[in-house]
Amino acid sequence: MPQEKVEGRADPQVAVSDYGRLFQAARDQHITEHHHHYPEGSPVLLPGQAVREPYMGPDSVRVPVAAPKPVEVRDRVEYKALLTAAVRTLSGKRVHVLHGMGGCGKTTLARHVFDECTATREIDGFWVNAAHRTSLRAGMLAVAADRGATAAELEAVQRGHRPAADLVWHHLDGPDRPWLLVLDNADDPACLDGGWLRSSCHGTVLVTTRQSHSALWSHAETHRVDLLDPEDAALVLRDLAPSTGSDTEALLLAQAVGCLPLALTLAGSQLSQQILEPMTMDELRRRMADNPSTRIDQGVVPWENEPRRALSSTWQLSLDGLAERGLPAATTLMRLLSCFASDPLPVGVIPPRAVASSGLGDVDPPLAETTIAPCLKALVDHSLVAVDELHEQSGPPLRLLRVHGLVLDTVWTSTPEAQRPILLAAAAALLSQALPEPAGATPAGDRMRRLLIPHVAQVLKRAGEHGADALPLALTVARQLRTHMVERDDHENLLALARLTVTVASRDTATSAASTTSTTESLTDKQVLGQVLLALGEYEECLTLQQEVLQARERTDGPDAPTTLSSAHHLYFPLYWVGDVRAAESTVRRAAEGRARTLGAEHPDTLLSKGLLAEVLCRLGEREENVRLAEEISETSTRVLGEEHPVTLTCLLTRAFVLDELGRPDEAEAPARSAFEGHRAAKGPDHWLTTASAHRLASVLRGRGQWEEAECLARQVLTTRLSSLGEAHAHTLLVQVELARITDGSGRRAEAVALARSTLSACLTHLGAEHPVTAECRSFLEKAESATRES
């Protein structure tokens, strides 16, 4: 201890040190002192607690009393065989380190190896708690005593006359029976400094730790212990609670807890111990939806006082340890990460300068720019965060951060309520900065957007629940990303975010004094969700949503407002695809005529609505008006907007559609080819507008008898739609009908009939008997089969 000067005396040489005390008085003084000395790591007596016996060391080093014996150790086959062989044969490196995040089963694996190797009593087994210097020292001295250390030797250590570690290893290095020494929970490798960790030819040391990197591991063989495979995780639940669910239900619950062994153990224990209210695996999984870590921790034995066996405390031990070693800001960084999803997070989302400027310097503990890198490294070293790399065919690998979902949930649950809005606002700002620029589609940008979707969704969800101040920015980021994804035709990845945006925005509008702007934005959210559902073939849900938006806008904005006419335009699509062609014609005519009045006849939106009107009139057989409209919008858009404008390309596609449907493929080829080539150049080969143009061009070429190119285009469209939309989507089945027609026209009728039959079966299954695509397929098949019979 530092020396202390004695106050009130002129003599500067009088001082005390260590645990000495010096008292001064002008007259007689009576002093009574009571000293209680607690070793580091031993429990401290709190007010109101009963007096406990002083810490005297472990009860046993021969039995792993702190490591419950598992029912059965699932998976880990390679590690079990490797470690057991190393202990029994004394081959290879003599020190093995099992490292991984808290709760991943390191101690369970070590217990299995311990039991296997000591069962025949040919190998001595020693189990030492290495979580603290005190327990490590006491345990290792107990090992020395077990190996033959005399009372005099042990007393010499206690008096400081002999180094403790040297005495222990002197007896371990003796030519006695081989041994296995487990140093459990050595999460702070500094506790092993001073020579406690050594190698010996007479035995094997097995260390369990959360610390993946340490200079002490340099001469050891390290083994990362990760999550269980889903199938093995399900078996753990079946072992613990066999009568509470089927194999499928066990698999679903295992996946819900992220296949983490500690969570599986707690969930299985909870299921098996229910007496008053028996619970199934499915019921537990449903109850976990809102607060999984708290729900799972109900499986902790009530009288259990070991923080490592509860989700709510096991990872906090690591954060507390980092704070004690000078990195309290690691807790704040972990709280920031808990705002995001458990999906891989691009490391570029948290650049130090941006994090430092996002307001996290005002939280407790503050997170400064200079501390972010060391804090992140410490979290990685303690297995709370993993770093992966995503490799693509071109460009450098993208570095990603990965955190288990239960770790994030536990950290978020323990985050003070007052800090949550600040953390969420920072997370939303960081995501906003990480969004790629919308101009120009690049593979790297598209990859980044897809990676950000779950994190934007999670921040939005948390902001809707806990961070009202952060909600406007979170909604803005979600809408920006949604717009980018819609433009890139990536609807499948976008669906969950689009739904969540509607839910959160609607709730915010309903529970606050919503402005006109927020109400308008909320309706736009629903309209865009309808577009996403339409692209994915969810026509009924899309129809309900678009009708709701139209009715709301008629009430709030008026029947002829641009927003209302936009809703009428978008309502056309689900009406058409559910087969209500007359209603589709009526609503899109309203949009076309209304836009012409309010926006002007040459406005791009007016041209798009007129194009749809021309197409639906074609389906209704009204030829004169649809031909006139198709010619009119094609000429107007080319003159007003230019040949390469997206609206011009769409108008050209409409013109090709009308001419092709009227049986004039020679006239349709030029606009069809221009639309296809223009969309492919502007949007890329896989965009829905490109595939729609290719589909129409294939139909036109079929009409002209150009079978080879027509079939090539149709197969390209089919491949793209199978990949992006799936085999059950109406557009996928529609191009299969086209391919059957092309195959039949090229002289392969039997092949065409077979394809049409399988397509019709799929249409009936997925679309229904009355769907327009089903009707089209049935009509072709009947004609083809009739022609086959006649020939």
Side-chain angles (χ1 to χ4, degrees), residues 410-654:
T410 302
V411 173
W412 176 257
T413 301
S414 64
T415 298
E417 287 282 350
Q419 290 193 13
R420 291 180 178 181
I422 302 172
L423 291 163
L424 288 167
L430 292 169
L431 288 170
S432 179
Q433 294 179 41
L435 279 180
E437 291 295 327
T442 65
D446 291 342
R447 177 182 63 181
M448 176 63 83
R449 291 183 187 93
R450 286 192 295 271
L451 288 169
L452 292 181
I453 286 176
H455 303 292
V456 171
Q458 182 72 344
V459 170
L460 178 59
K461 178 176 180 291
R462 292 207 189 283
E465 296 170 347
H466 304 284
D469 293 343
L471 185 55
L473 180 56
L475 278 169
T476 297
V477 175
R479 287 162 176 158
Q480 287 175 340
L481 179 57
R482 181 191 64 193
T483 300
H484 297 177
M485 300 297 288
V486 168
E487 289 174 353
R488 283 153 182 78
D489 198 27
D490 197 349
H491 299 98
E492 186 172 5
N493 287 315
L494 178 60
L495 179 59
L497 177 61
R499 286 191 188 279
L500 180 64
T501 304
V502 167
T503 300
V504 174
S506 299
R507 188 191 311 132
D508 181 55
T509 301
T511 58
S512 62
S515 64
T516 303
T517 301
S518 63
T519 302
T520 300
E521 289 175 338
S522 179
L523 291 173
T524 301
D525 293 332
K526 291 182 179 180
Q527 183 169 299
V528 175
L529 174 58
Q531 293 174 244
V532 175
L533 291 167
L534 178 78
L536 296 175
E538 302 293 340
Y539 302 125
E540 294 290 347
E541 185 179 358
C542 172
L543 176 59
T544 301
L545 202 58
Q546 298 293 23
Q547 287 174 330
E548 178 185 327
V549 173
L550 177 59
Q551 292 167 5
R553 282 182 166 163
E554 286 174 335
R555 289 193 304 269
T556 59
D557 301 346
D560 292 326
T563 53
T564 305
L565 297 174
S566 173
S567 295
H569 176 94
H570 283 95
L571 180 58
Y572 161 85
F573 297 101
L575 285 170
Y576 179 87
W577 283 106
V578 299
D580 195 347
V581 181
R582 284 292 179 188
E585 185 268 339
S586 175
T587 189
V588 79
R589 185 182 292 277
R590 172 188 176 182
E593 293 175 355
R595 282 176 162 178
R597 287 194 308 273
T598 58
L599 302 177
E602 297 181 348
H603 192 279
D605 289 346
T606 304
L607 298 176
L608 289 174
S609 293
K610 285 184 176 180
L612 292 180
L613 180 58
E615 291 185 17
V616 73
L617 288 173
C618 193
R619 291 295 189 202
L620 292 172
E622 300 179 19
R623 298 190 172 195
E624 289 187 14
E625 186 178 3
N626 66 32
V627 172
R628 177 183 60 78
L629 280 172
E631 296 289 348
E632 175 188 312
I633 63 172
S634 179
E635 183 277 328
T636 302
S637 61
T638 302
R639 173 174 51 81
V640 175
L641 304 174
E643 294 182 351
E644 297 180 356
H645 194 278
V647 173
T648 301
L649 297 176
T650 300
C651 292
L652 287 172
L653 183 58
T654 296

Side-chain angles (χ1 to χ4, degrees), residues 72 90 123 167 193 348 469 472:
E72 185 170 350
L90 294 176
I123 297 173
L167 173 67
D193 284 342
D469 293 343

Side-chain angles (χ1 to χ4, degrees), residues 106-368:
K106 305 177 295 294
T107 296
T108 299
L109 176 57
R111 173 69 192 260
H112 172 86
V113 175
F114 185 93
D115 290 343
E116 286 288 309
C117 294
T118 60
T120 61
R121 301 185 182 278
E122 296 175 357
I123 297 173
D124 286 342
F126 304 107
W127 191 283
V128 173
N129 178 10
H132 308 284
R133 289 183 184 273
T134 304
S135 60
L136 172 68
R137 178 186 174 91
M140 291 295 276
L141 288 174
V143 170
D146 192 288
R147 294 284 291 184
T150 66
E153 288 176 315
L154 294 172
E155 185 177 356
V157 168
Q158 297 296 344
R159 291 179 175 275
H161 297 158
R162 182 168 185 177
D166 289 349
L167 173 67
V168 175
W169 282 99
H170 169 75
H171 286 280
L172 285 173
D173 276 334
D176 206 343
R177 286 197 304 179
W179 46 264
L180 167 62
L181 171 62
V182 176
L183 300 177
D184 191 29
N185 293 326
D187 299 333
D188 182 5
C191 291
L192 300 176
D193 284 342
W196 289 113
L197 182 62
R198 305 184 190 183
S199 180
S200 171
C201 62
H202 298 291
T204 306
V205 181
L206 181 58
V207 181
T208 71
T209 180
R210 301 180 182 188
Q211 187 80 20
S212 59
H213 297 92
S214 171
L216 292 174
W217 312 156
S218 58
H219 300 295
E221 185 170 345
T222 59
H223 313 280
R224 177 177 176 81
V225 181
D226 216 327
L227 306 175
L228 292 172
D229 291 332
E231 292 75 15
D232 289 300
L235 288 175
V236 172
L237 292 171
R238 297 285 285 159
D239 291 337
L240 294 168
S243 61
T244 60
S246 65
D247 291 344
T248 300
E249 291 167 343
L251 180 61
L252 291 173
L253 178 57
Q255 292 170 330
V257 302
C259 300
L260 181 73
L262 175 59
L264 294 167
T265 301
L266 292 173
S269 299
Q270 185 176 165
L271 289 168
S272 65
Q273 294 168 7
Q274 294 292 329
I275 298 175
L276 295 177
E277 187 184 1
M279 185 166 42
T280 66
M281 293 182 183
D282 270 355
E283 287 177 283
L284 177 57
R285 180 167 57 86
R286 286 193 293 270
R287 294 183 188 186
M288 284 170 42
D290 294 330
N291 199 341
S293 57
T294 302
R295 180 73 231 191
I296 294 170
D297 267 351
Q298 292 181 14
V300 175
V301 179
W303 53 86
E304 180 69 68
N305 193 27
E306 172 49 64
R308 295 175 186 275
R309 296 182 193 168
L311 296 180
S312 58
S313 54
T314 184
W315 297 304
Q316 188 60 43
L317 292 173
S318 297
L319 295 175
D320 290 345
L322 290 174
E324 291 171 2
R325 290 190 284 280
L327 286 175
T331 296
T332 299
L333 180 56
M334 201 68 212
R335 288 171 177 170
L336 174 63
L337 294 176
S338 75
C339 296
F340 301 114
S342 59
D343 300 69
L345 177 72
V347 72
V349 173
I350 56 168
R353 182 170 298 178
V355 173
S357 63
S358 62
L360 295 183
D362 299 328
V363 300
D364 183 30
L367 186 61

